[in-house]
Amino acid sequence: MNVVVIGAQWGDEGKGKIVDYLAKDAQVIVRFSGGANAGHTIVIGDEQYALHLIPSGILYPDKMVILGAGMVIDPVALFGELDMLRERGIDTTGRVFISDRAHLVLPRYIRIDRERDEARKKPIGTTGRGIGITYSMKSDRDGIRIADLFWEEKMAGLESGDQEFLSPYIDRLEAMSVDLAVYLMHRRNAQVLFEGAQGTLLDLDLGTYPYVSSGMSNAAGAAIGGCVGPRRLDKVLGVFKAYSTRVGNGPFPSEFDANSEDDLCCFIRETGREYGVTTGRPRRCGYLDLVALRYACLTNSIDSLVMTHLDVYDSLDEIKACIAYRIGDRIVENFPASVDALNTAKPVLRNFSGWKKSLSTALTYEEFPEAAMEYIEFIERFCETPIDIVSVGYDRKETIIRKSPWVK
């Protein structure tokens, strides 16, 4: 069975924890898009791990993890991450593979990325990791893949600085290289987890263009970056937070009004630890945007939703969620493509009662306070999609499973 996990907002939804949790029942975990611009934080007891390239399932000693064809891989970041895991007692020997069709990030791409964003009149707010430039090179047919490292003519045509950079990594990358399509064909009866990066609203085609990432953050990207046909994908899970956050520039209709909600923004940011894993930048915070979440469900054929950070609301008397936008003199109930429209959109809010009780001690959904269940069930009705998993803390055990994703 093949299960896809994607972000249903602007990234940072808690996909890393969810993939880590679900990986216990998978044999193979495939990351299908993005690069070192992504960041996942995994908490196991007193231990915390920050991962950027390697799929979250690596923390289980018997799981195979693969960096897919849709990824762009910085060798410095990759081997630095492997060294970090080894130093912390995680044996990755023979368990980390890379699709031979994945592209490589070169140092000059990182330099170009930073210079280009700084030169824009309105910067995108990239992480400066060379991700967009690598994808641009890929689209221009000027990129270099893992498989190309062994193509003498291709390597000879690279700039001398690129050749010098890649030379010490070639043997190590070759040892990890795999034909992903064939690898998964031989494991067609295995339980495979496909891990996305960023979120739907940062997807190059579906997101708030041009304030998006350069890869495929949508569920369809799992088929392409994971080297399987789309009909091989059995289920799509969309991860979202109980509120909304965004890093970098771009429209954010449900963002807290700094003049009236400054205290709430600070509370959410500090309680939810809303700082970028990759950059350390404080995240912009806002009400849960149900218009955008429903759009993510529609465009990704999301079978079930995974809600995270619900416990952040434990102490609040009242909760609000965005159920429509006011744009000019119109009420808009669907997510518009126009960045100009989104920039002027004001959230139409619905109030919910708080539950004033810690959720972290709950072992089942039925133990939740009635107000928490009302909030969850309203979201399900609005998005016409069930919420089958609820996370109420950072640790693996603080996860409520209402329905297993491994059941068709």
Side-chain angles (χ1 to χ4, degrees):
M1 184 174 180
N2 295 324
V3 173
V4 180
V5 177
I6 61 162
Q9 295 168 310
W10 278 281
D12 307 311
E13 302 94 347
K15 297 182 297 298
K17 178 203 167 169
I18 299 306
V19 170
D20 170 74
Y21 184 88
L22 298 178
K24 70 179 185 296
D25 295 317
Q27 285 79 53
V28 181
I29 300 90
V30 179
R31 165 94 177 268
F32 63 82
S33 67
N37 57 334
H40 296 323
T41 301
I42 312 298
V43 178
I44 305 172
D46 295 329
E47 294 290 324
Q48 182 169 303
Y49 301 85
L51 301 175
H52 301 276
L53 283 167
I54 299 174
S56 305
I58 192 63
L59 299 180
Y60 291 92
D62 59 337
K63 309 302 178 184
M64 300 296 176
V65 303
I66 304 175
L67 284 68
M71 289 189 67
V72 293
I73 298 164
D74 179 348
V76 175
L78 172 63
F79 290 110
E81 204 163 299
L82 287 170
D83 289 344
M84 176 275 292
L85 289 168
R86 184 175 61 253
E87 290 167 3
R88 297 187 62 180
I90 306 298
D91 184 6
T92 64
T93 306
R95 298 199 295 122
V96 181
F97 300 97
I98 308 172
S99 167
D100 54 11
R101 289 173 167 81
H103 279 246
L104 291 165
V105 179
L106 302 177
R108 63 185 173 91
Y109 297 173
I110 297 173
R111 185 178 64 254
I112 295 169
D113 186 9
R114 294 172 180 173
E115 292 172 351
R116 183 172 293 182
D117 205 45
E118 289 172 1
R120 288 187 170 102
K121 291 182 178 179
K122 293 185 177 181
I124 302 297
T126 74
T127 60
R129 298 298 183 100
I131 307 303
I133 301 302
T134 309
Y135 278 117
S136 294
M137 292 291 188
K138 176 180 178 177
S139 296
D140 285 342
R141 279 71 54 100
D142 290 323
I144 181 163
R145 307 173 302 162
I146 299 290
D148 299 335
L149 295 173
F150 320 105
W151 179 9
E152 291 185 8
E153 182 182 357
K154 176 75 171 184
M155 291 297 288
L158 293 178
E159 295 183 10
S160 58
D162 295 341
Q163 294 181 36
E164 184 178 344
F165 168 73
L166 289 169
S167 179
Y169 296 110
I170 291 175
D171 290 343
R172 297 174 74 182
L173 290 169
E174 181 179 19
M176 299 166 69
S177 174
V178 66
D179 183 330
L180 183 52
V182 173
Y183 184 94
L184 293 179
M185 178 187 70
H186 289 308
R187 291 159 182 80
R188 61 170 64 91
N189 295 321
Q191 295 199 148
V192 181
L193 199 57
F194 291 85
E195 175 185 3
Q198 285 81 47
T200 295
L201 303 177
L202 292 177
D203 182 81
L204 186 61
D205 294 301
L206 300 179
T208 53
Y209 187 90
Y211 299 96
V212 293
S213 187
S214 299
M216 297 186 72
S217 305
N218 60 52
I224 299 170
C227 296
V228 297
R231 289 189 292 177
R232 290 276 310 280
L233 302 178
D234 297 296
K235 186 170 286 188
V236 178
L237 307 185
V239 185
F240 75 103
K241 280 190 283 211
Y243 47 90
S244 299
T245 64
R246 178 165 194 164
V247 171
N249 299 324
F252 189 7
S254 68
E255 187 169 14
F256 295 137
D257 184 339
N259 295 320
S260 62
E261 299 286 1
D262 191 54
D263 289 344
L264 181 57
C265 181
C266 290
F267 171 81
I268 296 294
R269 183 177 290 143
E270 297 305 318
T271 307
R273 300 190 229 176
E274 297 299 347
Y275 294 88
V277 177
T278 301
T279 63
R281 289 183 291 183
R283 295 173 184 144
R284 299 158 63 190
C285 300
Y287 305 106
L288 174 60
D289 187 335
L290 289 174
V291 179
L293 184 60
R294 181 170 58 191
Y295 168 75
C297 291
L298 290 171
T299 54
N300 290 283
S301 296
I302 291 175
D303 295 290
S304 70
L305 288 163
V306 179
M307 178 187 245
T308 66
H309 289 244
L310 183 60
D311 54 298
V312 171
Y313 278 157
D314 282 353
S315 64
L316 297 185
D317 295 316
E318 184 180 64
I319 296 163
K320 299 178 183 179
C322 171
I323 59 170
Y325 306 140
R326 185 179 298 279
I327 302 176
D329 58 358
R330 296 181 300 125
I331 297 297
V332 176
E333 297 181 340
N334 297 308
F335 194 76
S338 169
V339 167
D340 185 48
L342 288 168
N343 278 333
T344 60
K346 301 298 181 184
V348 176
L349 301 174
R350 187 188 192 282
N351 294 355
F352 299 86
S353 298
W355 42 89
K356 305 288 287 183
K357 180 181 179 181
S358 174
L359 299 178
S360 61
T361 58
L363 299 177
T364 66
Y365 179 71
E366 287 69 29
E367 294 179 47
F368 280 7
E370 185 176 344
M373 289 194 282
E374 287 176 357
Y375 185 56
I376 290 169
E377 290 162 14
F378 178 86
I379 296 167
E380 291 181 311
R381 292 192 299 273
F382 191 95
C383 296
E384 299 182 353
T385 308
I387 297 174
D388 287 339
I389 301 175
V390 183
S391 170
V392 292
Y394 292 95
D395 199 273
R396 281 176 180 167
K397 65 177 181 291
E398 295 173 319
T399 310
I400 306 298
I401 305 295
R402 300 176 69 193
K403 179 181 178 182
S404 170
W406 298 109
V407 176
K408 288 188 179 181

